[in-house]
Amino acid sequence: MTAQPVLASVTSTALILFNGAFQPFQAAIGFAILGYLFTTYMIPRVSPSFVKRGLYGKDMSKVGKPIIPETIGVIPAICYLFLMILFIPFMYIRYYYNQPDTYDSEAASLFPNGKLSSFLSGMLCLESMVLLGLMDDLFDIRWRHKFFLPAIAAIPLLVIYYVDFGVTDVLIPKIIRRYLQVTTNSIDLGIFYYFYMAAVAIFCPNSVNILAGVNGLEVGQTAVIAVLLLLNDFCYLFIGDSSSPAYSVHLYSSCMLIPFLGTALGLLKYNWYPSKVFVGDTWCYFSGMVFAVVGISGHFAKTLMLFFVPQIFNFIYSLPQLFGLVPCPRHRLPHFNPEDNLMYNSWTEYTEKQPVKPVMIPIFNAMEKLKLIALIRDKNGTIIKSSNMTVINLVIIWFGPKREDHLCMLIMLLQFLTGLTMLLLRHTVAPMLFGFDNSWNMLTRFYKK
Ligand code: UD1
Ligand code: MG
């Protein structure tokens, strides 16, 4: 072992064990360092065994399409789950010891069972997702079979939300309130809010999985989302009032996200261009669900979606291919040209037997004018090729062919800038639009119940 990992291990252990003023935040940083160290230690050691067991994929964007170990995302995922189990005493015991008389049975009853059950339901949900991802990597489960499973995995979360919090109101913007002359600030969506949260649980894992195919992007996008969510948490932790309920939920959220970021960065080290490992669907499902868990149990499932704007756009943009209006090849990743080492957009090809569906022709023409798609026509003007409808291909159409790592960095940068804009709007324009800050108000109302 070289000096750096030893130093990092000592620092993380000290952060975890030292019961300073910033517990459990500092322990989260300690667990993140441990997660990074463990992931980077394990991946190179276990990768050959994955290949031996048949868990590998071809890197399509390299000369000779070399074989790379796949499903490696299961290592950081399991590491994260174990770290979070070890985290439990550091996250919750302070409630017990902060009571005036520690050994008083009444004080012990102040232990936040509700908060712990919310945390445990999140862990249960993540474990289900790791299982689903693993089964998908092993057996390539069909889309229609696996689509709704994340919503079932999220049931414990939703039940705890109902019992523990139960707020299903959505704020009405000031201007609409004035226009409709309503006195109430919000509208209660009731059961529909639970459908919305179940949809979030389905969307997050799947949207990460379909923004993929470039070395580093599957993990890179999750690292960017985690950083953006942490910035949102810090707005409440370092600027807000520490006695407010919002402080407590954002402390919880950051405690979930900081160790996640540590393990994700460990995985990114090996998945970055040129990839030594592929993450597999296990990582996509697991990481997407981490965000859904944080958003739902942190009571900010609507704000969460602000940081998924590129994924939402990619999903909507992909709909014609996902629903068969446009043929969807097994892989829609960009095309690698070995002559100049650059990535070009990939195409869907049409033949006489399989021409463009008539309904798509005006849509394609309009999209072409808006520079949202590239089309190739024959000399009669018939469309013979259309670019595959993913954000990755669109970025190539807008910014030109790129080397794989530059393409990944550009997409991550665009995602970060979009997320940062959303964050600024969330904390400036949104309170003006709604008359007050939604999360603060809802939480205060709940805790006064
Ligand atoms: C999703 C996308 C698919 C994309 C694939 C890439 C949809 C509907 N599906 O499918 O279009 O091609 O992800 O992950 O949008 N690979 C690389 N380089 C990478 C990452 C992956 O070449 O950096 C290839 C490897 O051959 C790897 C395979 O993609 O084995 C993994 O694909 P998989 O995760 O099974 O594809 P899906 O998630 O089904
Ligand atoms: Mg995948």
Side-chain angles (χ1 to χ4, degrees):
M1 235 192 198
T2 53
Q4 267 170 332
V6 174
L7 200 65
S9 314
V10 173
T11 314
S12 56
T13 313
L15 278 167
I16 294 166
L17 296 180
F18 171 64
N19 193 12
F22 295 107
Q23 278 287 22
F25 189 82
Q26 74 189 39
I29 297 172
F31 280 115
I33 300 172
L34 276 189
Y36 179 83
L37 287 176
F38 184 80
T39 309
T40 48
Y41 178 81
M42 286 303 283
I43 289 177
R45 282 162 182 81
V46 300
S47 293
S49 318
F50 278 63
V51 178
K52 262 191 224 156
R53 295 269 166 201
L55 292 170
Y56 55 80
K58 281 184 185 168
D59 195 338
M60 321 270 254
S61 311
K62 302 290 174 303
V63 179
K65 298 189 177 166
I67 276 172
I68 311 275
E70 191 145 14
T71 321
I72 297 297
V74 74
I75 294 166
I78 292 178
C79 168
Y80 176 81
L81 290 172
F82 274 89
L83 286 179
M84 294 314 282
I85 291 170
L86 286 172
F87 200 163
I88 292 176
F90 300 92
M91 212 188 280
Y92 294 105
I93 211 76
R94 74 197 163 101
Y95 289 96
Y96 181 83
Y97 282 104
N98 280 350
Q99 305 313 322
D101 184 352
T102 307
Y103 299 103
D104 185 332
S105 61
E106 206 182 314
S109 72
L110 292 170
F111 184 81
N113 292 316
K115 284 192 164 73
L116 182 61
S117 53
S118 162
F119 175 84
L120 293 179
S121 68
M123 289 298 114
L124 183 61
C125 179
L126 292 177
E127 282 178 6
S128 310
M129 289 312 286
V130 173
L131 273 179
L132 174 64
L134 209 49
M135 296 309 268
D136 193 22
D137 279 331
L138 290 173
F139 302 110
D140 238 335
I141 307 175
R142 288 207 178 154
W143 201 66
R144 61 173 179 271
H145 294 148
K146 65 185 176 190
F147 188 75
F148 289 104
L149 290 179
I152 298 176
I155 287 176
L157 275 182
L158 301 186
V159 170
I160 297 292
Y161 186 92
Y162 177 75
V163 174
D164 209 27
F165 190 59
V167 174
T168 50
D169 301 31
V170 177
L171 283 181
I172 311 170
K174 243 184 349 188
I175 186 155
I176 298 181
R177 288 204 302 261
R178 212 170 295 150
Y179 181 72
L180 296 177
Q181 299 198 332
V182 285
T183 47
T184 164
N185 293 331
S186 58
I187 174 168
D188 187 7
L189 293 185
I191 182 92
F192 294 105
Y193 195 72
Y194 290 89
F195 285 129
Y196 165 73
M197 287 190 286
V200 166
I202 293 175
F203 174 77
C204 293
N206 284 302
S207 68
V208 171
N209 191 28
I210 64 167
L211 187 58
V214 174
N215 285 185
L217 191 57
E218 278 140 306
V219 197
Q221 65 180 304
T222 59
V224 172
I225 297 173
V227 168
L228 289 165
L229 283 170
L230 281 170
L231 288 177
N232 182 49
D233 289 337
F234 295 165
C235 291
Y236 295 87
L237 293 181
F238 298 118
I239 303 169
D241 168 13
S242 65
S243 62
S244 99
Y247 181 92
S248 153
V249 291
H250 287 281
L251 179 64
Y252 169 83
S253 159
S254 58
C255 287
M256 297 281 283
L257 289 169
I258 293 172
F260 171 80
L261 191 58
T263 54
L265 292 178
L267 179 61
L268 188 59
K269 184 178 170 192
Y270 293 96
N271 183 240
W272 190 254
Y273 176 90
S275 288
K276 293 182 188 69
V277 303
F278 282 149
V279 300
D281 291 347
T282 312
W283 175 259
C284 301
Y285 290 148
F286 161 76
S287 56
M289 194 52 111
V290 168
F291 302 130
V293 165
V294 166
I296 294 171
S297 47
H299 311 149
F300 55 90
K302 285 167 278 144
T303 303
L304 175 72
M305 284 298 107
L306 297 179
F307 305 116
F308 272 81
V309 169
Q311 284 77 8
I312 295 173
F313 180 79
N314 189 48
F315 177 73
I316 296 171
Y317 187 48
S318 296
L319 283 176
Q321 286 197 297
L322 296 180
F323 284 96
L325 280 172
V326 173
C328 187
R330 167 69 182 88
H331 283 291
R332 301 192 294 162
L333 49 84
H335 168 72
F336 170 66
N337 181 0
E339 277 159 27
D340 56 10
N341 210 20
L342 297 181
M343 306 291 280
Y344 291 76
N345 68 273
S346 57
W347 302 97
T348 298
E349 299 190 13
Y350 303 95
T351 55
E352 267 179 34
K353 270 190 193 164
Q354 195 189 41
V356 181
K357 288 210 162 68
V359 63
M360 287 310 296
I361 295 175
I363 299 176
F364 273 170
N365 289 336
M367 286 174 78
E368 190 184 31
K369 283 204 182 97
L370 295 168
K371 296 214 177 324
L372 285 175
I373 202 162
L375 301 173
I376 296 183
R377 296 181 171 81
D378 64 9
K379 46 184 185 301
N380 304 323
T382 312
I383 297 168
I384 51 170
K385 284 183 185 184
S386 65
S387 56
N388 275 316
M389 300 165 86
T390 68
V391 160
I392 309 175
N393 286 306
L394 193 59
V395 166
I396 297 175
I397 293 168
W398 284 344
F399 297 95
K402 296 259 166 299
R403 209 177 78 179
E404 196 173 4
D405 52 341
H406 296 162
L407 177 62
C408 183
M409 269 192 271
L410 179 60
I411 297 170
M412 283 169 64
L413 180 70
L414 290 174
Q415 183 184 359
F416 182 72
L417 294 178
T418 318
L420 206 58
T421 312
M422 291 294 149
L423 184 72
L424 292 174
L425 291 177
R426 168 70 188 81
H427 292 284
T428 52
V429 177
M432 281 191 264
L433 205 66
F434 292 104
F436 48 83
D437 193 328
N438 177 9
S439 49
W440 291 86
N441 187 279
M442 295 270 186
L443 288 165
T444 314
R445 221 182 55 202
F446 162 72
Y447 280 92
K448 275 185 186 158
K449 261 204 293 196

